[in-house]
């Protein structure tokens, strides 16, 4: 094969003499190709007299590359002889190799994948390089430099759903980084002299700099998205789920994965929904440039048209020029008008409200019309709930106090009422009253203000809005311009407030598309009780108690229904304080259903994450407020930080939208502007309040003084235009001195806020929210970690540092199960309402993985079995989950304490409940013989005794049930404080003792002094077996059972001499260890002993059933239920380490023949106590030293983190080695 072989070259890139050439080739490969580092062994194809090498195969070891070479010899080299020249050989080889790669990739990837071929190749390399499982999806990868010190390392940055990974191989220096997104605390894009235009990624432990991106903005935006998804996971278990319904691109996109398209679509959807206040499930289909004809100023305004499943929206390029929202449910006609040079490609859209909108300059009008037509066909043709009728009625006579009659189609009008009755409408089938309109109309007291100057001013406002409706339209399809904002700033008339709140917040869209939803929710939720309803009941009478609407059952009942319905709609939030205050104000101006949907808009869209248990959203916006204070009021910012005031004031301001800190008439104007502008307005008003009090605040000496100044200021913000009777606001305590307080007009405050801080942009605030969300959530996680560590540190032997590291590993294991697990059960385990200690819990499989990597008692293939036993021992409530305290309690038992404490843990691992009946079916039955000695730790055994004692005490003394519970509590307290002693431990049966011996043999394997340990445990085991035999003589148990067993025994009788229990005596030998390296056998002295009888089912009511004693074989091996173990007897000191195999067991020097392997059972009368085991162990120095040696758990944690991400990608070889 000389000619053919000459075409190939096996090349060792590391060990060959031309090291510099190999390193240079490797470096260029990394820089120019996405294949991380060059493998140490490669097979290259070279054409003679050419400097070009073609890579054919690569391998990480000589064994691997040899396999490739053998395949080439068998499948390729023989074919090359038919070619005449080397160029044809090269072409054939290249084509053959590319074909094999393509076929392999085709087989490995699902047929439904839309990712391009080059991206699939990069994803496979990423998984191989970083040990990621298949469920870890690559989103995108970028060529960039990682700055290690002052030296840039050129390589590849891989962004996956859960990790940021980087790999570089430069001149022999290898750099590998893997960072979980949940560990990222800060992301920044900046430019400095040292790092030109770079991305800074901060974690708790390090700061990483990446630069030299081709498109740094795209990369940074994607990193922000992925980090934000990780924060959502920490916050509320919302792990990433790919959108499979994403439409395919009209033309193929190069090197853009389906996940990247999905994330881009998500970002656009979020921006689209936030801009136009649309429901959370609305998905943008596309957008295009166009112009909109605005009849109010006779202009064609340039902007963009957005089309989604249920809406057509328009946003002008100039921010305040015009916004338009057209629900498709309102559309009647969509037609293409004649095109002209003045108005090219026009499109006309008509609505049910007789409004027509003209769009022009559309690039792909035909396709757009087709998409709108498709969406219109899917839109249900239901007529809205007749609210237009109510609005027109209000417009005709807005000053009237009569109640308009709702149409019968309204979901609230279940039973009709008279328009003048003012009586509540009966809701659903119950007897609970409800109001069909805002409570303010029902409880408005006669006021002279209505006919005075304030009343005239109110009518002028209403007339201004009516003119605006005439020019700009009314309802959802209204043109929203700078004129609209001006009217909102001047205050919305009371009669229009509910209507406009619904429009500006987008709540109207959700209400009309979910008819009857609220009524059904109320019917389901009323009468049901949980923690949320208890909190609601507690706060009902604290919600605006000074207002007459909430001084009677009508208002209270309406508030109860709205809050309870929302708690059942969104159990994640349930109920949070401050929701009652906001909802009570909503009910003053809206009916119950409208108030409910406004509350939905507030909690789920406009103030995200505000009303959860940790008020994360409010803390995020508080961070933004602090950042804006530093930017706009730098002098005051430093002072406020020193006083710690901002964190105190901002939460109450933001959570209640100033309703709890301002007079009601003034605060409601703030709410008007908030529904139109969003959180931007709340922030700018807060800045204006600090600015107005700057001089006084700078002179403050403490937090209390600053709070007093701000409290007095807010209490005196007045609304001189309000027509409602003034509602008392408690500010007398904050008024000091004889000087009357200075009143501040709310409209002046709003005007000042727009003049000084009106340049805030909604997009900038969203960007700041992301930055602060990272900071807040990671700060909360750190707080949780400290709380948990403090809670468990008193009872655990680990140091605070060790506990913190263990908590990080424990939490990481839980989170990994959320995004790498095969099911979503892990995410469901975390309940945010639980204490921090209970929030993260792991199951047995996760515990086994942690145990294997962290335990100081490595037992080889037996380790998972030991882990399962410890898990069952720790799982006291039997819910198959353990929390962090239970986890570190188990770990501490192995790492800390003296020999006695460690042996106690090991001893318990071989008793029920740790010992599984499946592992040793007779274990539980054996314990039934020692009921007089058993005092388990569980509540089930101990509970009846104190209950009986307390019952007797109650009967004797005639005490009340309260006294009875008192004694129960006292007993529980005493039980908690009582420390378990070694005498409390139950005795161990022979079968359980055999399991203990097996564990010890496995623990000692591969120990530096394993021979000494084997001899020591052989000595101890033999001694203990003798002690157990002697102990049987002093047992008070009847011997009837053993006699029955002996009578049923089928073996030949033998002389009973020297047998303390008159049983058979046989010889025994140690079984040969099944390894090729050891062929010699160790002979064992034959000694008299106890016969191993056949397993029998006894009929004397003792509870002993048929079962198989535990077999000391590999734990993955399964035997038939009727098969028996062999028990080999050895004499003291005769055991050699070469003879210890997984299937070898020490029972004692009075043994039986190995021939009885399949016809033997355990001596159920035999038992041993913990004190006897401990005393025997103390006689062997090797055993004492083994259990008292110190192990550094921090080093084990460090090693565990290195292999953490590879836990689910074990190879077939690894699995077979474990099972074999």
């Amino acid at each position: 094969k000389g000619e053919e072989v000459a075409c190939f070259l096996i090349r060792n890139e590391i060990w060959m003499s031309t090291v510099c050439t190999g390193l240079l080739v490797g470096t260029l490969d990394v820089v120019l190709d996405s294949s991380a580092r060059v493998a140490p062994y490669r097979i290259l194809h070279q054409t003679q007299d050419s400097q070009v090498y073609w890579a054919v195969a690569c391998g990480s070891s000589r064994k691997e590359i040899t396999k490739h070479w053998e395949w080439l010899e068998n499948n390729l080299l023989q074919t090359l002889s038919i070619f005449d020249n080397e160029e044809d050989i090269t072409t054939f080889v290249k084509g053959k190799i590319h074909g094999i790669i393509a076929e392999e990739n085709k087989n490995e990837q699902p047929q439904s994948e839309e990712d391009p071929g080059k991206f699939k190749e990069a994803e496979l390399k990423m998984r191989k390089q970083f040990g990621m499982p298949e469920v870890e999806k690559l989103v995108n990868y970028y060529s960039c430099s990682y700055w290690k010190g002052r030296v840039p390392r050129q390589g590849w940055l891989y962004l996956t759903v859960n990790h940021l990974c980087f790999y570089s191989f430069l001149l022999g220096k290898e750099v590998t980084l893997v960072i979980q997104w949940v560990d990222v605390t800060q992301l920044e894009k900046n430019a400095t002299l040292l790092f030109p235009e770079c991305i800074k990624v901060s974690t708790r432990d390090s700061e990483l700099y990446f630069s030299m991106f081709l498109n740094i903005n795209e990369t940074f935006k994607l990193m922000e998205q992925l980090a934000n998804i990780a924060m959502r996971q920490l916050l509320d278990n919302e792990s990433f789920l790919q959108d499979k319904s994403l439409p395919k691109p009209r033309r193929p996109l190069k090197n853009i994965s389906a996940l990247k398209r999905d994330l881009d679509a998500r970002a656009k959807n979020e921006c689209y929904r936030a801009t136009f206040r649309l429901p959370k499930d609305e998905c943008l289909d596309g957008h295009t440039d166009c112009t909109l004809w605005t009849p109010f100023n006779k202009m064609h305004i340039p902007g963009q048209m957005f089309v989604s499943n249920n809406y057509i929206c328009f946003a002008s390029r100039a921010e305040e020029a015009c916004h338009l929202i057209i629900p498709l449910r309102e559309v009647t006609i969509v037609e293409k008008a004649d095109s002209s040079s003045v108005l090219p490609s026009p499109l006309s859209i008509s609505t049910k409200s007789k409004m027509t909108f003209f769009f022009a300059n559309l690039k792909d009008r035909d396709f757009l019309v087709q998409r709108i037509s498709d969406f219109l066909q899917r839109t249900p043709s239901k007529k809205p709930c007749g609210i237009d009728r109510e609005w027109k009625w209000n417009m005709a006579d807005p000053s009237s106090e009569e109640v308009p009659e709702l149409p019968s189609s309204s979901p609230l009008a279940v039973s009709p009422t008279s328009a003048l009755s003012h009586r509540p409408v009966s809701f659903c089938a119950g007897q609970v009253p409800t109001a069909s309109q805002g409570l303010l109309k029902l409880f408005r007291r006669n006021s002279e203000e209505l006919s005075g100057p304030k009343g005239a001013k109110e009518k002028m406002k209403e007339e201004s809005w009516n003119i605006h409706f005439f020019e700009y339209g009314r309802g959802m399809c209204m043109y929203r311009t700078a004129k609209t904002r001006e009217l909102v700033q001047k205050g919305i008339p009371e009669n229009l407030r509910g209507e406009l709140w619904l429009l500006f917040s987008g709540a109207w869209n959700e209400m009309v598309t979910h008819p009857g939803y609220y009524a059904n929710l109320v019917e389901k939720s009323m009468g049901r009780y949980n923690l949320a309803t208890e909190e609601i009941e507690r706060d009902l009478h604290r919600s605006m108690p000074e207002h007459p609407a909430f001084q009677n059952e009508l208002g209270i009942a309406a508030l109860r229904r709205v809050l309870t319905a929302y708690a059942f709609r969104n159990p994640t939030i349930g109920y949070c304080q401050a929701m009652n205050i906001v909802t009570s104000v909503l009910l003053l101006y809206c009916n119950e259903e409208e108030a409910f949907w406004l509350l939905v808009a507030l909690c789920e869209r406009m103030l995200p994450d505000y009303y959860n248990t940790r008020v994360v959203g409010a803390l995020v916006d508080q961070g933004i407020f602090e950042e804006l204070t530093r930017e706009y009021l730098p002098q005051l910012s430093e002072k406020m930080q020193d006083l710690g005031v901002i964190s105190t004031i901002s939460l109450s301001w933001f959570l209640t939208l100033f309703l709890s800190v301002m007079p009601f008439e003034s605060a409601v104007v703030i709410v008007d502007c908030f529904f139109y502008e969003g959180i931007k307005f709340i922030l700018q008003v807060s800045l204006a309040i600090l600015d107005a009090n700057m001089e006084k605040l700078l002179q403050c000496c403490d937090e209390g003084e600053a709070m007093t100044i701000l409290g007095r200021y807010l209490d005196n913000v007045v609304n001189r235009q309000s027509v409602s009777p003034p509602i008392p606001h408690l500010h007398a305590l904050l008024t000091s001195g004889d000087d009357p307080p200075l009143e501040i007009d709310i409209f002046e405050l709003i005007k000042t806020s727009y003049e000084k801080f009106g340049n805030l942009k909604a997009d900038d605030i969203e960007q700041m929210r992301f930055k602060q969300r990272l900071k807040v959530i990671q700060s909360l996680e750190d707080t949780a970690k400290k709380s948990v560590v403090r809670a468990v540190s008193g009872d655990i032997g680990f140091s605070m540092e060790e506990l913190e590291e263990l908590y990080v590993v424990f939490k990481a294991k839980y989170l990994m199960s959320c995004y790498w697990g095969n099911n979503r059960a892990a995410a469901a385990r975390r309940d945010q309402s639980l204490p921090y200690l209970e929030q993260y819990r792991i199951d047995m499989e996760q515990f086994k993985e942690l145990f294997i990597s962290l335990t100081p008692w490595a037992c080889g293939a037996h380790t998972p079995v030991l882990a399962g036993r410890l898990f069952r021992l720790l799982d006291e409530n039997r819910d198959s989950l353990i929390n962090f305290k239970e986890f570190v309690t188990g770990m501490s038992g192995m790492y800390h304490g003296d020999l006695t404490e460690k042996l106690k843990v090991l001893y318990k691992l071989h008793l029920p409940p740790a010992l599984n009946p499946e592992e040793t079916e007779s274990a539980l039955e054996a314990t039934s013989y020692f009921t007089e000695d058993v005092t388990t730790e569980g509540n089930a055994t101990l509970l009846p005794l104190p209950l009986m004692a307390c019952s007797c005490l109650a009967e004797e003394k005639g005490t009340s049930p309260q006294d009875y519970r008192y004694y129960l509590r006292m007993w529980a307290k005493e039980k908690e404080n009582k420390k378990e002693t070694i005498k409390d431990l139950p005795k161990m049966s022979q079968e359980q003792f055999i399991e203990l011996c097996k564990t010890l043999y496995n623990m000692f394997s591969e120990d530096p002094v394993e021979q000494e340990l084997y001899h020591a445990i052989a000595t101890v085991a033999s001694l203990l077996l003798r002690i157990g035999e002697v102990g049987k003589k002093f047992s008070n148990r009847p011997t009837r059972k053993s006699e029955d067993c002996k009578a049923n025994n089928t073996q030949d009788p033998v002389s009973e001499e020297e047998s303390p229990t008159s049983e058979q005596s046989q010889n025994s030998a140690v079984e040969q260890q099944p390894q090729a390296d050891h062929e010699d056998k160790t002979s064992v002295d034959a000694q008299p002993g106890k016969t191993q009888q056949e397993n029998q089912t006894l009929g004397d009511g003792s509870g002993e059933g048929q079962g198989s004693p535990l077999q000391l074989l590999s734990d993955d091996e399964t035997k038939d239920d009727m098969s028996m173990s062999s028990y080999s007897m050895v004499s003291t000191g005769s055991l050699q380490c070469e003879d210890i195999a997984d299937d070898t067991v020490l029972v004692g020097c009075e043994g039986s023949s190995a021939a009885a392997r399949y016809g033997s059972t355990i001596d159920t009368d035999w038992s041993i106590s913990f004190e006897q085991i401990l005393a025997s162990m103390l006689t062997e120095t090797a055993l004492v030293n083994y259990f008292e040696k110190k192990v550094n758990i921090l080093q084990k944690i460090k090693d565990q983190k290195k292999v953490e991400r590879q836990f689910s990608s074990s190879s077939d070889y690894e699995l077979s080695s474990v099972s074999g």
Side-chain angles (χ1 to χ4, degrees), residues 971-982:
W971 166 79
K973 187 175 181 182
E974 291 174 1
K975 178 177 178 294
E976 280 183 2
N977 297 333
K978 183 182 177 182
K979 189 173 181 180
E980 181 188 54
T981 64
I982 58 177

Side-chain angles (χ1 to χ4, degrees), residues 1051 1066 1092 1124-1126 1152-1161:
Q1051 296 181 4
Q1066 294 182 347
Q1092 308 213 350
M1124 300 299 157
S1125 303
S1126 63
S1152 65
S1153 171
R1157 173 170 184 159
Y1158 298 103
S1160 58
T1161 187

Side-chain angles (χ1 to χ4, degrees), residues 392-409:
K392 291 177 182 176
W393 189 93
N394 282 335
M395 184 172 66
D397 188 9
S399 62
S400 173
E401 295 184 20
E402 294 181 347
V403 181
E405 182 179 353
L406 285 178
S408 59
S409 61

Side-chain angles (χ1 to χ4, degrees), residues 76-103:
L76 191 64
L77 292 183
Q78 295 176 357
T79 312
L80 300 184
S81 58
I82 65 174
F83 294 100
D84 296 332
N85 57 61
E86 294 182 354
E87 291 183 1
D88 292 342
I89 292 176
T90 301
T91 304
F92 173 76
V93 171
K94 286 168 61 180
K96 183 73 172 175
I97 299 301
H98 281 303
I100 293 171
I101 294 173
E103 187 65 26

Side-chain angles (χ1 to χ4, degrees), residues 320-331:
E320 293 300 326
C322 182
H323 272 209
L324 180 65
I325 303 171
I326 309 173
L328 291 182
R329 63 178 181 271
E330 296 287 336
V331 174

Side-chain angles (χ1 to χ4, degrees), residues 126-127 130-137 160-163 165 178 180 233 239-240 812-824 826 846 849 1203-1209:
M126 178 274 298
R127 289 187 187 139
F130 301 103
M132 298 290 179
E134 288 189 10
V135 292
E136 183 70 2
K137 300 295 184 183
T160 71
V161 173
N162 302 297
H163 296 85
C165 307
V178 179
Q180 289 184 325
Q233 185 182 14
S239 55
F240 180 80
K813 180 60 65 177
Y814 165 82
L815 293 174
M816 208 169 287
S817 69
C818 292
Y819 54 73
W820 280 358
N822 295 327
N823 51 50
R824 305 301 305 280
Q846 296 165 307
E849 291 158 10
V1203 297
E1204 178 72 14
R1205 61 187 180 278
Q1206 300 179 9
F1207 82 98
S1208 61
S1209 56

Side-chain angles (χ1 to χ4, degrees), residues 49-109:
D49 300 329
S50 172
Q51 297 300 315
V52 178
Y53 291 87
W54 297 97
V56 175
C58 62
S60 57
S61 65
R62 182 176 281 285
K63 182 180 179 181
E64 184 180 355
I65 204 68
T66 303
K67 286 184 179 180
H68 293 318
W69 180 255
E70 290 173 354
W71 187 92
L72 288 172
E73 283 185 322
N74 297 329
N75 296 277
L76 191 64
L77 292 183
Q78 295 176 357
T79 312
L80 300 184
S81 58
I82 65 174
F83 294 100
D84 296 332
N85 57 61
E86 294 182 354
E87 291 183 1
D88 292 342
I89 292 176
T90 301
T91 304
F92 173 76
V93 171
K94 286 168 61 180
K96 183 73 172 175
I97 299 301
H98 281 303
I100 293 171
I101 294 173
E103 187 65 26
E104 183 70 17
N105 289 342
K106 181 180 178 182
N107 293 335
E108 287 192 11
Q109 294 294 331

Side-chain angles (χ1 to χ4, degrees), residues 745-968:
D745 187 76
I746 181 62
F747 298 104
E748 286 298 321
L749 177 62
I750 291 174
K751 182 180 177 182
T752 304
S753 74
Y754 274 101
E755 289 173 352
K756 292 189 175 182
F757 310 105
N759 59 345
L760 292 177
K761 305 294 182 187
D763 292 342
D764 295 338
I765 291 174
E766 284 303 315
Q767 184 67 27
M768 294 167 74
R769 268 181 168 174
F770 162 76
K771 178 181 175 182
Q772 291 296 329
R773 190 177 292 116
L774 274 180
K775 181 179 176 182
V776 167
I777 293 180
Q778 296 291 17
S779 175
L780 288 172
E781 290 297 311
D782 289 341
T783 302
K785 179 174 71 173
K786 291 176 182 176
S787 299
V788 171
V789 167
R790 279 198 301 267
V792 303
S793 60
D795 305 325
I796 305 298
F798 290 115
S799 66
M800 297 292 280
E801 180 187 4
E802 290 170 337
L803 284 173
E804 288 184 359
E805 289 296 324
L806 282 169
Y807 181 82
V808 170
V809 172
F810 184 85
K811 182 176 122 181
K813 180 60 65 177
Y814 165 82
L815 293 174
M816 208 169 287
S817 69
C818 292
Y819 54 73
W820 280 358
N822 295 327
N823 51 50
R824 305 301 305 280
R829 294 180 208 145
R830 190 181 181 200
D831 185 353
Q832 296 279 357
S833 64
L834 292 174
Y836 288 135
L837 186 61
E838 294 285 343
Q839 287 190 11
Y840 294 117
R841 294 180 293 168
I842 60 175
D843 59 23
M844 182 179 288
E845 291 305 314
Q846 296 165 307
F847 177 79
K848 283 182 179 180
E849 291 158 10
L850 286 177
F851 182 89
I852 290 170
S853 58
L854 298 179
T855 180
W857 296 345
C859 301
H862 191 64
T863 307
V865 178
L866 200 64
R869 292 175 186 167
L870 182 57
F871 183 89
R872 288 188 289 272
L873 182 65
L874 298 173
D875 184 21
E876 295 181 356
N877 60 358
R878 301 291 177 263
D879 62 350
S880 300
L881 297 170
I882 62 169
N883 60 30
F884 179 69
K885 183 174 183 179
E886 293 166 337
F887 169 71
V888 293
T889 300
M891 289 289 112
S892 180
M894 295 183 290
Y895 275 92
H896 298 287
D898 54 14
L899 172 67
T900 304
E901 294 299 319
K902 291 179 180 178
L903 279 180
K904 190 191 294 183
V905 173
L906 199 58
Y907 186 84
K908 289 180 181 178
L909 293 182
H910 297 83
L911 295 174
L915 198 66
N916 197 331
E918 295 176 2
E919 297 173 336
T920 162
E921 294 183 12
S922 303
L924 290 176
E925 298 165 5
T927 58
S928 65
Y929 292 101
F930 310 109
T931 51
E932 65 272 19
D933 298 317
V934 175
T935 53
T936 57
E937 291 182 296
N939 293 338
T941 306
L942 291 173
L943 189 58
L945 296 176
L947 280 176
M948 291 171 62
C950 292
S951 300
C952 295
L953 190 61
E955 290 174 5
E956 290 175 7
K957 298 189 176 182
T959 52
S960 64
Q962 183 176 1
D963 293 332
Y964 172 81
R965 288 193 295 270
Y966 168 78
Y967 286 109
L968 262 182

